[in-house]
Structures are given as structure tokens and as C-alpha cells.
Amino acid sequence: MKTLKVIKNCVSSSKLSIPLYCKYETIAKWSWLCFVVFFFLFFSNKSHGQIIQDISGIAITSHTKATLKDLPSANLGSENKFQLNTYDAWLPVPPIKIGKTTIFSNLNYRLMDFSYDDKTIEDPNRIEKIQEIKSVIIIRHPISSKWSVLVIAMPTFAGEKSVSSNDLILDGILGVSKKFGAESNLEIGFGVHAMYSFGETLITPGISFDYRSTNNKWLAQFYWPRLNVLYNVSENTQIGLAGSIDWTRFNLKNYRGYNGKEVDYAQFSTIHGGLQLNQHLIGGVWLQVQGGMGLLNRYELFDTNQKSVNDFSVSNMAYGKATLTYRIGRR
């Protein structure tokens, strides 16, 4: 399914601007589509989405054992079984207000830890640890009672085991959102997302929906690649569905892959879907528990020319996730 455009070899004063003369190529990575809308919805209403208001927290996601597939026959077997644990933490930075314009920011850290059954095998294609440090800077300017303009910058450092200045990924979003309904309980956003990573510039569109019923019982978000549907059982308890496409693109130390081609960076992706329970504990602290399956998992390696070197599928993984968050304005 080829839906996205890669813009490369462009002459521009800014790596994130859209140049006049570019060479266009299609790519088959539909999971990139609308990464914009995650942050679009996260900060679109009163600086936070109508559902997601968790400004700080910690989380751990544990998966059942999985196997790397599509490897050469000599490398197939139990030695390729691994377990993935992901650790997340995020903290806010105090907002700044200049006239009608408000600037929000936070700092996010993620560690993905891959533990193999057979740890004695030395294989450069084995993924062991991925570290990601991301700062999200959101500039929101209302242009009317219903419309707002959003500018978002997301510089990210992502690398294997450790990060350095060579691992920088530049992300940027420009978009608008509009609220509907007498109580502004429906918000729709759309915009353009540009990302520069390892010599490649990617441009994608996006659309988002954020809905809250007038009685505050039902909450629903769809912002590709994420879905949340929640029902307020009580003031302190929420149950519902959760889905997402999670991917991490990260730098590697150059080496030769199975086919002898040079490998420069990689991407690990999975589709999570399951049930969730949110329980208020004390003050603004909430416990979130989620469980389901990780499907259509892939680990892809790229060369310095952004061409795919190896594309490994990964078996399905059941997962469980536990999160402690501090929430603004609990509902």
C-alpha cells in the first residue's frame, strides 16, 4: 500500500520547509501516516486533549516472547526468541504565555530492552537496546473562539544503547483545529507533518477527531496512529479500548547485513490493540492498566541512501502495560 511521499535531494534554507523543486518517491511505510495527529490531539484543547491530560508519568510495557522471522535458514531457531520490555517517563516544562500565544513543552525518555533466550550468539542484526530522548515544544495561537493554529517542534535523539548528536531526528508540525458543538465537545484537526531523519525528509498529512459526550460519560479519540474509546464508570474509574501503531527509528553503528549491504539505521514497529482500565488513586495520580496483542511486528534495516537492506517480520506478542500518571483536570 503506497500512500506517502518522500521528499529528497531538495534545496531549501530549512530542512523542515517544503521546497519548490524536489524529487518525489513513494514508499510503502503506511505506519508513518499521520504521526502528526498524536501531538495534534494531545495538546489541542486547553493545551491538552479532552481525554489525555497526563502531563507526567512513568510506564512499563512487557511483551511475551517473540521470534525474529525471515532470517537466513542457518539463523532460524530458538536462539532468535526474545522478550521486549519498554520503559517510558515524561516530565512537563512550565508553560510560557506571550499575548494570546501559549508555549508548552515536555521531555520524554524511552528505553526498549530486548532480552534473548540465547545470549551467547553474536549477531550484528540482533537488536538489543534502543534509547530515545524527545523534547516536544508546542506553540498554540487561537485565531477565533473555535479555531487555533498549532506549531509543534519535536527534536529527537534515537540510537542503539546510547545517543549522541549524530542520532538527531528533526520533527515539525504545522496545523489548525476547530471545535464544534455548543459545548465545544467535538474537535477536528488537520495539518502537515515534516520529519528529517538520517538524510531523508518525510512529509505526511493528518486528521484527528476528539469527542466528549455532553454528559461526560463517553470519551473517544481517533488520531492515526492511535485510538482511544473510554467510558466513565464513575468519577474515579474508566474502562475502554486502546489501539496504536508504535514505531521507533534509530541510528546504528554501520555494519554489513546478511546480504553484504551496509546498514546505517533501523526501524522497529508494532501495532498494539487491547483493553484498558484507568483508576484514580489520590489527588491527580492515576493508575492505567492495559493488555492486548502486538501484531504485524517488523524490524527493518536501511542503508545510507534510505533503501531497505533487510526487512524482518516478528511473531505476534501479547503485552501488558502499567502506567502511573499525574493528570490535570480529572474526569
Side-chain angles (χ1 to χ4, degrees), residues 61-219:
T61 305
S62 182
H63 299 79
T64 56
K65 291 183 179 180
T67 304
L68 279 171
K69 301 179 179 180
D70 307 321
L71 299 176
S73 57
N75 294 282
L76 293 176
S78 60
E79 66 268 15
N80 288 308
K81 283 189 175 181
F82 66 88
Q83 182 173 9
L84 168 62
N85 291 323
T86 301
Y87 307 90
D88 292 280
W90 59 100
L91 290 171
V93 176
I96 300 173
K97 192 171 183 64
I98 304 174
K100 293 183 178 181
T101 303
T102 307
I103 303 174
F104 306 90
S105 59
N106 66 6
L107 187 63
N108 305 268
Y109 173 77
R110 166 170 286 187
L111 171 64
M112 300 175 68
D113 184 21
F114 297 77
S115 177
Y116 290 83
D117 281 2
D118 191 340
K119 301 179 181 180
T120 63
I121 296 178
E122 293 186 5
D123 186 341
N125 290 284
R126 275 193 172 187
I127 182 174
E128 295 182 0
K129 294 183 186 296
I130 305 172
Q131 290 201 76
E132 183 180 83
I133 300 173
K134 176 183 296 182
S135 177
V136 183
I137 304 168
I138 307 98
I139 302 174
R140 188 174 191 270
H141 180 79
I143 54 179
S144 71
S145 60
K146 297 289 187 179
W147 286 89
S148 295
V149 175
L150 295 174
V151 179
I152 304 175
M154 297 171 287
T156 303
F157 294 90
E160 187 182 27
K161 299 182 181 179
S162 62
V163 295
S164 68
S165 59
N166 296 325
D167 305 322
L168 177 63
I169 297 173
L170 297 176
D171 249 338
I173 294 173
L174 174 62
V176 294
S177 66
K178 184 180 180 180
K179 299 175 184 178
F180 297 87
E183 298 184 16
S184 297
N185 60 314
L186 171 64
E187 185 168 10
I188 299 177
F190 53 93
V192 176
H193 163 235
M195 183 180 71
Y196 178 84
S197 62
F198 312 121
E200 178 182 59
T201 302
L202 182 68
I203 305 294
T204 58
I207 186 169
S208 66
F209 297 90
D210 185 3
Y211 173 76
R212 169 179 50 84
S213 64
T214 54
N215 62 3
N216 281 334
K217 281 293 185 180
W218 285 97
L219 306 168

Side-chain angles (χ1 to χ4, degrees), residues 38 41-43 45-59 89-92 105-108 221 223 228 230 238 276-280 283-290 321 323-331:
F38 168 68
L41 197 53
F42 200 100
F43 295 96
N45 183 22
K46 295 180 181 178
S47 83
H48 300 278
Q50 297 187 63
I51 298 175
I52 300 177
Q53 300 166 301
D54 306 309
I55 63 171
S56 63
I58 55 174
W90 59 100
L91 290 171
S105 59
N106 66 6
L107 187 63
N108 305 268
Q221 291 177 319
Y223 46 105
N228 275 294
L230 289 172
Q238 298 172 322
Q276 60 177 320
L277 167 67
N278 299 335
Q279 179 63 47
H280 175 236
V285 180
W286 283 69
L287 171 66
Q288 301 177 1
V289 180
Q290 186 181 140
K321 182 177 182 179
T323 306
L324 277 177
T325 68
Y326 182 82
R327 180 176 296 188
I328 289 181
R330 62 185 178 89
R331 293 173 179 162

